[in-house]
Each structure stands twice: as structure tokens, then as C-alpha cells.
Amino acid sequence: MPEPRFLVVRLGSLGDIVHTFPAVAGLRESFPNAEIVWLTHPRWKELVESSALATEIWETETRSYESLREIIGRIRKRHFTIAIDYQGLWKSAALPFFGAVSRRVGFSSQTIREFGVPILYTDRVRVTKAHIADQNGELSLCAGARNGVAPVTLAVPSIQEVFVLQLLRGFAIERYVVLSPSGGWRSKCWPPDRYGALCGKIRDTLGIRCVLNHGPGEEDLVSAIKVASGEADPIAYNGSLGQLMALLRNAACIVGGDTGPLHLAVALGTPAVGIFGPTDPARNGPYRMGGRPCGDSPSDIVLRSPHALTTYKRSDQPAPSILEIDVDTVLDAVRRQVEIRR
């Protein structure tokens, strides 16, 4: 019997793709010779490549009519056995539907936030697991995998590691802690003044400088942290995805909220301190690529107030529960994590 031909749909974003890797690894483990084509946004091609799980990576820009027409035509020509939509949005579910893939696996209406999407699937999975990575694994099980999730090792190009380490040595930095202060929604972000105070205390008590990872348009956030850090002199960093992977893999620790860089760092084996507010770490927390969820790994520390209310409603102010996490509590967690990598 021939190996199935899989179309995997996970267009973005950074953390979501990281949490899809274990599920696709479950497919690869069960079907080592199968064709697995991963459909993603061009921005994330390098990330998908780092997992070595897909035989091919197809890129599409869903805001472009020409790109959508081209990719649907390619899907039709390949005659896939099965498509798995790990994203669960109209834009992701529509691609295998219009691409005439006969069997289409996705989440049931109990999981999907966009109303009506499951009508485009032939197999609708009602998940039972808590963590999103394990929920993705339940889709893989429906598609025939023996295990829903499997270990993954992400490759970081050596040229990127050399570049990043030489860059840091130019600032006389050998050992460092990465801070990832942004996170899309302000309500799930620890305030910049506290990140600044943390920088100062890490420098004073641990003798380690911090690197502030940030994206385009976040210069004001970086400036606020630098001002609050006093003389700690954190380094602002905004490099390519490959360089970010090198930066994270060689860090003593990462501190951040429910963000893509935090999840990527965990996937690369870096000890993490997660600061959580309205989003539930049982669903979105650190997930080790060996298939171990948050709490199973001694190298993951998740800080969350017992008064936190789980909500995925976006707000432009920090959630009250995240403000209950003070700087000294985070510093103590960082101290414990730094000792892991001595």
C-alpha cells in the first residue's frame, strides 16, 4: 500500500508553528517515507525548514488573489490523500477545500474561534487534551499517526550562530539573558518598567547583561525598558529569524510572556521563565519538543497569579493579574534557570 500524501496547513505565526511541530513529527514518525507538503506564509519558510519535517514547503500570501489562485492550482495538481488544517481559520480551511483534497481533517466547532469553519472539513476532531500542541496531535492521530506528537530537533545554521556570538562579543557579552517583552496584546505583557528593573537586578546580582529581543515598530518599548534599567545597559536586538534562533539557543535563559520567541526558545532547549496573565499556560505554556507539556520539565518556570482569569479577549492595558507578579519573583526564577546552564 503506498504511503499517504499529506498536505499540512499552518500558515503562521511563530509560536503557533512551533506548537505544530510535535504533531507533524508524529506524522513523520508514523510515515517516514510519506510526502508531507507544508503550506505556510513566506515569512515562516525558514522556521519550517529548520524542523526538517516536510518534504516540500509551499508558500502562499493569503492577501494576494494571484498567490491564492496559484496555490490552489498546485494543490489540485498534486492529488493529496489527506489535508490537515492545524490553523482552524476560514483562510486555512478554504485552501484544501478549493484544492479538491478529498479528505480534510480539522478541529470541531468546540475548538475553533471562527464560526462555521468546520463545514469545510470531512473529519472534525473534538479535542480532549489541554495543551494546543497536544490538540494538534489529536488531528495527527485522526490522520493515521500512531502517536499524536513526537520529538523534534530544530537546526540552527552555524553561520548564524557565528554571526550572533561575534556580535555579542563586540559588546563584551559572553553570557546573557534574553528578554522578550512584547506579545501582540498589551493585556498579556508584563510592563516595560518592570522589565527594566529586572535588567538592573540581573546585572547587579548575577553579573549578567540582558538582550532585549524586539520587532519592527517596538523602539518605544525598548527605550522605556532601557530608561528603567538604569546602568544595566541592556542590548536591543532585532535580527533575522535565523539569527534569533541562534540568539535564543545560546542564551542562559529567556524571560517573556505568551510569545513566539518564548516558545521558540523552549523548542531550542533554552531554560525559560514564562510570565502569564490572561492566557492559560495549561493551553499555551512552554512545551518541550519531546512531547512534554508545561510542568513536566524542570527547566520551565511559569509564573501566574492565582487570581488570573483566563480570557483571550485583547486589551490595550496589562491585565491586573499580570501586575501581581513582582520583579523579585521573576529574578528568583531567573537565578534558578541560570544555574541550569552554568
Side-chain angles (χ1 to χ4, degrees):
M1 184 176 179
E3 292 271 88
R5 182 175 291 164
F6 294 102
L7 175 67
V8 164
V9 184
R10 180 75 246 192
L11 304 172
S13 55
L14 175 54
D16 294 323
I17 290 176
V18 169
H19 283 156
T20 304
F21 283 151
V24 181
L27 287 178
R28 177 56 72 204
E29 180 183 68
S30 298
F31 304 98
N33 300 314
E35 185 176 315
I36 299 178
V37 174
W38 190 312
L39 186 56
T40 193
H41 187 278
R43 181 180 180 184
W44 306 117
K45 182 180 180 181
E46 184 179 6
L47 176 62
V48 176
E49 284 177 337
S50 74
S51 70
L53 293 171
T55 48
E56 291 183 62
I57 301 168
W58 291 359
E59 305 167 61
T60 188
E61 172 53 78
T62 55
R63 296 180 182 181
S64 164
Y65 173 76
E66 289 301 320
S67 178
L68 288 173
R69 187 176 68 171
E70 186 271 337
I71 205 66
I72 288 171
R74 289 181 72 181
I75 293 171
R76 284 178 171 269
K77 290 177 182 176
R78 189 58 66 96
H79 302 292
F80 289 100
T81 311
I82 184 169
I84 311 171
D85 177 19
Y86 293 101
Q87 187 139 2
L89 300 176
W90 279 108
K91 65 181 180 181
S92 57
L95 296 173
F97 178 80
F98 288 112
V101 182
S102 59
R103 188 178 174 206
R104 304 177 299 279
V105 175
F107 294 110
S108 70
S109 58
Q110 286 77 16
T111 303
I112 286 177
R113 73 172 185 265
E114 289 190 354
F115 178 77
V117 172
I119 198 173
L120 300 183
Y121 305 137
T122 59
D123 297 60
R124 304 169 188 91
V125 178
R126 185 165 187 167
V127 299
T128 60
K129 304 291 187 180
H131 200 283
I132 185 61
D134 289 318
Q135 292 177 7
N136 288 331
E138 292 183 80
L139 298 188
S140 295
L141 287 172
C142 180
R146 292 189 302 271
N147 298 304
V149 298
V152 183
T153 299
L154 303 185
V156 179
S158 58
I159 190 171
Q160 304 288 22
E161 289 203 298
V162 170
F163 174 83
V164 169
L165 294 177
Q166 285 182 345
L167 178 68
L168 293 174
R169 287 182 187 127
F171 291 98
I173 296 177
E174 294 286 342
R175 202 155 181 254
Y176 57 92
V177 170
V178 172
L179 306 185
S180 184
S182 62
W185 328 340
R186 184 67 61 84
S187 55
K188 65 175 183 175
C189 296
W190 208 44
D193 61 315
R194 298 196 188 183
Y195 274 108
L198 179 65
C199 282
K201 293 198 172 192
I202 289 174
R203 184 93 189 252
D204 291 342
T205 64
L206 303 179
I208 300 175
R209 286 175 71 183
C210 292
V211 177
L212 308 177
N213 174 62
H214 69 98
E218 295 175 348
E219 290 76 16
D220 289 347
L221 173 64
V222 170
S223 295
I225 295 172
K226 280 178 167 285
V227 169
S229 70
E231 298 181 0
D233 195 23
I235 303 301
Y237 186 83
N238 177 21
S240 68
L241 179 59
Q243 291 163 7
L244 174 61
M245 293 176 73
L247 179 76
L248 295 175
R249 188 163 81 170
N250 290 283
C253 171
I254 182 172
V255 181
D258 179 9
T259 65
L262 178 86
H263 299 307
L264 179 58
V266 169
L268 291 163
T270 301
V273 176
I275 304 174
F276 276 67
T279 58
D280 185 0
R283 182 185 186 277
N284 299 95
Y287 190 97
R288 290 284 149 186
M289 303 312 287
R292 295 179 295 169
C294 167
D296 265 4
S297 171
S299 60
D300 298 328
I301 297 176
V302 174
L303 304 174
R304 193 189 194 211
S305 166
H307 307 119
L309 300 176
T310 297
T311 174
Y312 291 85
K313 184 178 180 180
R314 305 186 179 200
S315 170
D316 60 1
Q317 294 296 323
S321 63
I322 210 167
L323 297 178
E324 295 181 25
I325 302 171
D326 60 46
V327 174
D328 286 337
T329 298
V330 180
L331 176 65
D332 180 65
V334 171
R335 180 183 289 110
R336 283 183 278 156
Q337 296 300 65
V338 165
E339 289 176 354
I340 294 174
R341 287 207 162 183
R342 283 200 179 278

